[in-house]
Amino acid sequence: MTTATPEVRVFRLPAMTWVPVLFLWVGSIPVAFAADGSEGARIRVGLGILVLLIPALASVFVARTATVVNGAGLLVRAPFGKRVMPWNDVRGLSVTGRSVYAVLRDGAVRLPCVRVSMLSELARASGGRLPEMADPVLKGPPERRRRR
């Protein structure tokens, strides 16, 4: 285990996650401000404005969802809350499918935005609280065999 000064590492959703949110905003604005057609080309503000809640909630979800790792512990941020877990409470990590969980005394908490391929980064940011793990080795495409 290393005793180097731990760094703060923030695991977030990929930047491409904002693309569908942008499409939601662009698609919902005409619906929210659409007139019923009898008033000509005027913009009408009414109950249709509630449609804008959908891209607003999607934006909050993408902006807030993260896992922050440092020498003090883990911080899991959700759209409308957060949970701080000091390293003394973390018993280990569990991998189920593509998800990584922090195992605590009273259960397990999913670490959003952390994937199996990021476990070595998580271990480095833990400041020696987690054992060192090898960086993932990227596999190339399979070689094609020529028929004879």
Side-chain angles (χ1 to χ4, degrees), residues 77-131:
R77 281 194 342 210
F80 300 107
K82 67 180 179 178
R83 181 164 182 184
V84 178
M85 297 168 281
W87 285 117
N88 294 336
D89 295 345
V90 178
R91 297 176 68 194
L93 298 177
S94 171
V95 177
T96 304
R98 295 178 7 177
S99 300
V100 178
Y101 293 85
V103 180
L104 308 172
R105 294 181 185 127
D106 58 345
V109 176
R110 186 166 120 16
L111 302 177
C113 308
V114 177
R115 300 288 172 249
V116 176
S117 61
M118 301 172 179
L119 286 177
S120 60
E121 296 175 50
L122 186 103
R124 275 194 296 274
S126 72
R129 300 290 187 135
L130 295 175

Side-chain angles (χ1 to χ4, degrees), residues 35-57:
D36 59 3
S38 64
E39 303 168 9
R42 292 185 163 193
I43 294 175
R44 181 179 61 101
V45 177
L47 290 178
I49 199 103
L50 294 176
V51 172
L52 292 178
L53 284 177
I54 296 169
L57 290 174

Side-chain angles (χ1 to χ4, degrees), residues 137-143:
V137 177
L138 299 176
K139 295 169 75 175
E143 294 183 25

Side-chain angles (χ1 to χ4, degrees), residues 10-95:
V10 180
F11 296 93
R12 293 184 181 271
L13 291 171
M16 288 301 292
T17 310
W18 285 104
V19 173
V21 174
L22 177 67
F23 285 136
L24 276 173
W25 277 109
V26 170
S28 64
I29 288 175
V31 174
F33 296 110
D36 59 3
S38 64
E39 303 168 9
R42 292 185 163 193
I43 294 175
R44 181 179 61 101
V45 177
L47 290 178
I49 199 103
L50 294 176
V51 172
L52 292 178
L53 284 177
I54 296 169
L57 290 174
S59 298
V60 168
F61 178 81
V62 172
R64 287 273 309 157
T65 303
T67 299
V68 180
V69 183
N70 59 24
L74 297 166
L75 168 69
V76 175
R77 281 194 342 210
F80 300 107
K82 67 180 179 178
R83 181 164 182 184
V84 178
M85 297 168 281
W87 285 117
N88 294 336
D89 295 345
V90 178
R91 297 176 68 194
L93 298 177
S94 171
V95 177

